[in-house]
Amino acid sequence: MINCFIPYQGAEQAKETILGLQASAYVSKIFLMTTQKDAEALPGTELFLVKNLTSTETVRAIAERSDAAYTLIYTKYTQLQLGLFAIERMLNIAQDSQAAMLYADRYVQKNGKKENAPVIDCQLGSLRDDFDFGALQLLNATVLKKAAASIQEEYALAGMYALRLAVSRLGELVHINEYLYTEVEQDIRKSGEKIFDYVDPRNRASQIEMEKACTAHLKEIGGYLAPQFEKIAFDKETFAYEASVIIPVRNRIRTIKDAIRSVLSQKTTFKFNLIIIDNHSTDGTTEAIREFEGDDRVIHIIPTRNDLGIGGCWNAGVHHELCGKFAVQLDSDDVYMNENALQTMVDAFYAQNCAMVVGTYMMTDFDMNEIAPGIIDHKEWTPENGRNNALRINGLGAPRAFYTPVLRTVKVPNTSYGEDYALGLNFSRHFQIGRVYDVVYGCRRWDDNSDASLDIVKQNAHNTYKDRIRTWELQARIALNKK
């Protein structure tokens, strides 16, 4: 009933995986996908040569050879250890649910230690090309063939991603909430070290292809938005200040002074202030902020409420009577890179007639030494297609700045993760998002960052929420297009 496809580098790498698959009576054929011209097949297997494991060409080769009812694809070179009757369980659920594709929770072996590695449900808005399905997926072969045939673009790197999107248009992607196998984890970096991979310049070629595949998918399902935007009249309302820097903070005694100084050192042609929402700090942060209250530009707010996340603190700052025309982000553990950052961000609103501006940042350590592989400029956000590609990427860059009248209307979700991303998606539905390519922001990475090292449960919660944000936005865009 099943044809299996696994990456192949040699007998030592694949032997145990093949034996595990051959132990199941439901496995018909095992195909070895290799990029090595001199590779030799193992007994009971068939070998075929591919240029790239993730290309459209490889997808078509798999579809052509899938002559059983189901197709099992393993995506890693490391050993696959199947759980007891795992294949039988996947088959039973496939037949009961009539799913187009199934994937399961699994164990991950890191440094010789086995850990739980649950995955999350796939939603309409689960468009991230790095969505974690685990390394093992079971597909209905009929659906696989139709999906492969529907991919028009010749991708070298985004073929498997395009396949997954095409399959989702034909049927349901079912998450089995059971631990059915073990895979060996190769990337053992902390979560905070992985989150910027999609803007690593070394991954640029892949990201361009992923964007094409996602854009094609959005057009197929009616969620694509053409580059046509509402115009903004910036003189429509009067503000005492041209700009306000907003800093929500709780217990950042080690970094808050640096952040404040970087704001107060800004040189501008306009009036600005700094609104700090101190969310009931207990570590001396409150007293540190008070050291700056002699400067009349500093507004120190301690909310009366005790239920505010970062987004709620933003709402408190933006709705303050002295908030300026433009609200500009600064996290409490980051700094502006130079004294012209605020001027640069505000100028972009007028030059590009946009409701939101996304800046360019440099990732640094606590002492401001560069640690990123180059400047992170988020080329993924372009005037032509940024509003669509925003549904694929997992963030929009920093700093972010907003036209206050629109932000006051939209409101910030009262969460402490993903709130800025939700705003970017909402704003981009109607308005242009401006870009600043000068480095204006220093994103400091250190052990106390809120996302420096998250366990799998927290990572899954964050990703589920961002997928939910994307789902709501995609539903809104589909409805908008229907109008």
Side-chain angles (χ1 to χ4, degrees):
M1 295 183 68
I2 302 175
N3 286 335
C4 302
F5 294 81
I6 67 173
Y8 183 65
Q9 288 179 319
E12 198 60 36
Q13 164 256 324
K15 180 175 61 177
E16 296 302 324
T17 298
I18 293 169
L19 289 175
L21 293 172
Q22 289 175 334
S24 172
Y26 292 93
V27 171
S28 174
K29 299 175 185 177
I30 299 175
F31 293 94
L32 310 179
M33 302 179 291
T34 183
T35 59
Q36 301 172 351
K37 293 182 179 180
D38 58 348
E40 295 184 6
L42 294 177
T45 69
E46 297 181 32
L47 184 145
F48 66 96
L49 186 67
V50 297
K51 294 179 182 177
N52 192 311
L53 289 171
T54 59
S55 68
T56 307
E57 183 181 19
T58 300
V59 167
R60 294 194 184 110
I62 292 173
E64 181 182 347
R65 290 166 173 79
S66 294
D67 57 4
Y70 295 94
T71 301
L72 190 74
I73 300 177
Y74 186 58
T75 61
K76 288 190 175 182
Y77 284 108
T78 52
Q79 181 184 345
L80 167 66
Q81 300 171 359
L82 290 167
L84 183 64
F85 299 124
I87 288 182
E88 288 84 348
R89 182 60 174 156
M90 294 186 84
L91 273 176
N92 286 338
I93 297 174
Q95 293 166 342
D96 290 345
S97 66
Q98 295 297 297
M101 185 181 108
L102 299 96
Y103 61 103
D105 296 340
R106 82 285 198 193
Y107 300 106
V108 166
Q109 188 170 313
K110 296 182 180 180
N111 297 323
K113 181 181 178 182
K114 187 179 290 188
E115 301 175 1
N116 288 6
V119 292
I120 60 177
D121 290 353
C122 188
Q123 308 175 39
L124 176 67
S126 298
L127 299 180
R128 293 176 290 117
D129 54 83
D130 63 350
F131 186 94
D132 183 13
F133 290 99
L136 190 69
Q137 292 111 47
L138 181 69
L139 294 94
N140 179 297
T142 301
V143 174
L144 167 64
K145 289 176 178 292
K146 289 180 180 178
S150 73
I151 303 173
Q152 303 300 315
E153 190 76 26
E154 295 297 328
Y155 298 114
L157 302 168
M160 285 296 183
Y161 174 57
L163 174 66
R164 185 259 288 188
L165 294 176
V167 169
S168 73
R169 297 194 296 270
L170 297 171
E172 188 178 1
L173 277 54
V174 171
H175 168 207
I176 303 174
N177 303 76
E178 301 170 12
Y179 292 84
L180 296 184
Y181 65 99
T182 299
E183 65 183 56
V184 179
E185 179 61 68
Q186 297 169 307
D187 187 350
I188 58 173
R189 293 175 297 163
K190 295 179 180 179
S191 61
E193 296 170 345
K194 299 177 183 178
I195 59 176
F196 298 105
D197 284 355
Y198 72 101
V199 285
D200 186 332
R202 293 171 297 190
N203 297 332
R204 185 67 188 138
S206 172
Q207 292 301 309
I208 291 172
E209 285 201 0
M210 299 296 181
E211 178 177 354
K212 286 183 179 179
C214 185
T215 302
H217 174 69
L218 291 174
K219 290 179 178 179
E220 288 286 339
I221 65 174
Y224 172 82
L225 294 181
Q228 300 166 353
F229 307 97
E230 295 182 21
K231 297 295 183 181
I232 299 173
F234 291 117
D235 57 355
K236 192 173 182 180
E237 297 186 38
T238 302
F239 292 83
Y241 293 87
E242 180 75 354
S244 292
V245 176
I246 307 290
I247 301 181
V249 61
R250 176 176 169 81
N251 292 344
R252 282 289 184 263
I253 183 59
R254 190 178 176 190
T255 59
I256 187 61
K257 289 185 181 181
D258 291 341
I260 293 172
R261 291 190 190 103
S262 79
V263 176
L264 298 181
S265 66
Q266 293 298 299
K267 293 183 178 179
T268 64
T269 60
F270 50 78
K271 287 180 63 178
F272 72 89
N273 60 19
L274 168 60
I275 302 177
I276 306 170
I277 304 88
D278 177 10
N279 201 7
H280 307 285
S281 296
T282 59
D283 68 342
T285 295
T286 301
E287 291 71 24
I289 297 169
R290 286 175 179 155
E291 295 178 19
F292 296 89
E293 289 181 349
D295 191 318
D296 60 8
R297 294 174 294 175
V298 177
I299 300 172
H300 183 189
I301 301 172
I302 300 178
T304 56
R305 303 184 66 103
N306 292 293
D307 60 351
L308 299 183
I310 292 174
C313 289
W314 257 87
N315 284 328
V318 169
H319 287 266
H320 191 280
E321 59 182 2
L322 293 180
C323 183
K325 183 186 295 185
F326 304 107
V328 186
Q329 172 218 6
L330 182 62
D331 287 347
S332 58
D333 48 6
D334 295 333
V335 297
Y336 291 134
M337 290 296 289
N338 57 59
E339 61 189 13
N340 301 313
L342 189 55
Q343 182 75 52
T344 301
M345 294 294 287
V346 169
D347 287 348
F349 281 99
Y350 294 102
Q352 302 177 50
N353 193 260
C354 49
M356 177 180 169
V357 172
V358 178
T360 297
Y361 63 96
M362 182 178 292
M363 192 155 61
T364 75
D365 61 17
F366 186 82
D367 297 317
M368 295 302 294
N369 299 305
E370 183 180 356
I371 60 174
I375 295 165
I376 298 180
D377 62 11
H378 283 259
K379 293 183 176 70
E380 285 70 24
W381 193 284
T382 62
E384 297 76 24
N385 199 45
R387 68 199 317 190
N388 297 298
N389 199 35
L391 289 165
R392 178 187 67 85
I393 59 179
N394 223 20
L396 303 182
R400 295 160 286 268
F402 308 91
Y403 180 45
T404 298
V406 176
L407 186 54
R408 284 175 171 172
T409 300
V410 172
K411 308 284 188 308
V412 188
N414 185 27
T415 66
S416 293
Y417 179 82
E419 73 289 338
D420 48 359
Y421 181 61
L423 287 175
L425 291 178
N426 190 298
F427 270 59
S428 68
R429 193 189 316 164
H430 301 287
F431 301 102
Q432 176 66 282
I433 305 297
R435 284 300 321 275
V436 167
Y437 291 99
D438 296 329
V439 181
V440 293
Y441 196 89
C443 182
R444 300 167 89 180
R445 311 302 299 167
W446 55 304
D447 289 342
D448 284 349
N449 275 130
S450 57
D451 57 0
S453 182
L454 304 177
D455 62 34
I456 188 65
V457 174
K458 196 69 172 179
Q459 290 179 58
N460 282 347
H462 284 182
N463 285 326
T464 296
Y465 179 59
K466 279 197 172 181
D467 284 351
R468 180 60 65 193
I469 291 170
R470 277 183 279 262
T471 295
W472 293 328
E473 181 62 29
L474 186 51
Q475 289 170 334
R477 293 183 184 195
I478 292 172
L480 183 65
N481 283 330
K482 286 182 178 179
K483 288 183 180 181

